[in-house]
Amino acid sequence: MFQLRTLDDLTATELDQLLSDASSLLVKKDSEPLKQKSVANLFFEPSTRTKSSFEMAEHQLGLHVLPFDVEHSSVQKGETLYDTVKTLEAIGCDAVVIRHPEKGYYKSLEGISIPIINAGDGAGDHPTQSLLDLLTIQQEFLFFQHLNVVIIGDVRHSRVARTNARMLRKLGARVSFAGPPEWMDDDITCGNVISMDEAVETADVIMLLRIQVERHEEKGDWTKENYHETYGLTEEREARMKSGAIIMHPAPFNRGVEIADPVVECERSRIFKQITNGVAVRKAVLKRALSLKEETV
Ligand code: CP
């Protein structure tokens, strides 16, 4: 059964196939919608892009989406994640998409026999975000080998940084990091931390991160203005980037903090392209999850 808990679940061939399926889905309409299949989106953390693009992908695939709202569900009466998912499975749901604040939440779902698609697990992983980021980079450069990717900002608390660093290294890119020392994490950076000047002047891809205050244990000393001046992608820094270099951000972004307002939609920015790619990637993942299940029954 196809599962997408982390991208480590995929072989290199499967990863390649998903990116290629997503590319095709960007240009062609589906000939065979996955009718009669149903899916539920369980979001235990706020989301705009991931939730909406899964919903759009599900709609475009002709799937039936079971409405599920954590705030109005029996989660409020103490029902566990396992029991919630087991219940949806018993009702006849064919797959579940889950975002949850607990890193590795899916380990508690080992007894579930429908596909679990991870839409983000705390500071753990964000596999579909990484897939759409990889697709965006592939569209731009065609290859990953020797590309200089610099991830800037609150690396320690970022599931996007964690998944992307691992996958990009696997695919042959050089991954470096810049940002406040207290938000660097050796497990992710492997000690590869560079200055903002070096980041801006050497990167082929700059990947910015939001300050993830919701995962901070203590309030830090950074003001928005200080952070922007020290680690933000200002217009002056953007002007020093290499010719052909691009800017990415998983979003939501905070204008005037990690990125200057005019840089959000500048010529180098691929931020909204990433969001568009998200729908195709999620369609490819859902098709894979639901079609494979069909073959096993
Ligand atoms: N990039 C991302 O995961 O955005 P949302 O939190 O809005 O889903």
Side-chain angles (χ1 to χ4, degrees):
M1 181 175 67
F2 178 81
Q3 298 277 12
L4 190 64
R5 295 163 300 192
T6 79
L7 289 186
D8 298 315
D9 289 342
L10 305 179
T11 62
T13 316
E14 285 173 322
L15 176 66
D16 227 36
Q17 188 63 53
L18 272 178
L19 293 178
S20 156
D21 289 352
S23 283
S24 315
L25 287 163
L26 277 170
V27 290
K28 78 167 199 251
K29 287 248 179 290
D30 284 295
S31 48
E32 298 170 57
L34 296 166
K35 286 202 173 21
Q36 273 107 45
K37 297 277 185 187
S38 58
V39 60
N41 302 311
L42 280 56
F43 278 69
F44 292 80
E45 272 187 350
S47 168
T48 297
R49 274 142 294 273
T50 312
K51 188 163 186 283
S52 303
S53 68
F54 264 112
E55 285 171 354
M56 182 59 85
E58 289 152 0
H59 169 75
Q60 290 182 6
L61 288 171
L63 290 165
H64 175 68
V65 183
L66 253 80
F68 186 91
D69 171 11
V70 173
E71 293 305 313
H72 296 96
S73 75
S74 288
V75 170
Q76 303 307 324
K77 303 176 203 163
E79 191 160 62
T80 64
L81 179 62
Y82 177 87
D83 289 334
T84 301
V85 178
K86 190 76 189 165
T87 300
L88 291 167
E89 180 186 337
I91 285 169
C93 198
D94 294 295
V96 283
V97 176
I98 304 179
R99 170 172 287 190
H100 198 280
E102 191 186 320
K103 188 173 170 180
Y105 70 79
Y106 44 79
K107 290 179 194 149
S108 71
L109 301 177
E110 287 303 332
I112 301 294
S113 54
I114 54 173
I116 310 292
I117 299 169
N118 184 5
D121 60 298
D125 276 289
H126 197 343
T128 57
Q129 177 70 44
S130 183
L131 284 170
L132 73 89
D133 290 342
L134 296 178
L135 179 62
T136 308
I137 295 172
Q138 193 181 56
Q139 285 168 339
E140 199 71 36
F141 298 99
L142 303 178
F143 60 89
F144 297 95
Q145 286 282 338
H146 311 305
L147 270 185
N148 276 329
V149 180
V150 187
I151 304 180
I152 301 176
D154 184 1
V155 172
R156 180 182 298 281
H157 304 98
S158 171
R159 53 190 170 212
V160 177
R162 195 175 302 275
T163 311
N164 273 341
R166 208 165 62 237
M167 295 314 294
L168 284 162
R169 283 193 195 107
K170 221 178 198 173
L171 292 164
R174 285 190 285 255
V175 188
S176 315
F177 299 82
E182 66 272 28
W183 294 340
M184 294 297 109
D185 179 341
D186 267 350
D187 283 349
I188 303 174
T189 66
C190 304
N192 206 359
V193 178
I194 60 176
S195 68
M196 273 305 280
D197 283 339
E198 189 178 348
V200 163
E201 286 159 17
T202 63
D204 297 302
V205 178
I206 282 188
M207 213 177 256
L208 298 165
L209 300 172
R210 180 178 61 86
I211 304 173
Q212 289 136 103
V213 281
E214 70 276 21
R215 297 200 189 102
H216 289 190
E217 278 161 20
E218 298 168 12
K219 190 175 165 352
D221 295 330
W222 291 103
T223 62
K224 288 177 182 177
E225 294 75 18
N226 265 345
Y227 185 86
H228 188 62
E229 198 177 305
T230 318
Y231 292 109
L233 192 57
T234 58
E235 286 181 276
E236 182 276 321
R237 288 190 175 115
E238 185 273 329
R240 284 195 281 135
M241 287 175 68
K242 289 198 306 192
S243 161
I246 62 166
I247 298 162
M248 296 174 63
H249 192 313
F253 40 80
N254 289 116
R255 294 175 189 252
V257 185
E258 72 273 19
I259 186 164
D261 184 10
V263 178
V264 172
E265 294 183 61
C266 75
E267 190 274 331
R268 295 179 189 281
S269 172
R270 297 296 178 270
I271 296 173
F272 289 96
K273 190 167 191 201
Q274 288 173 263
I275 295 169
T276 302
N277 284 339
V279 177
V281 155
R282 286 162 181 136
K283 278 169 79 175
V285 167
L286 285 161
K287 282 186 81 152
R288 183 75 206 274
L290 293 163
S291 306
L292 266 191
K293 180 174 177 279
E294 207 165 50
E295 281 165 21
T296 60
V297 291

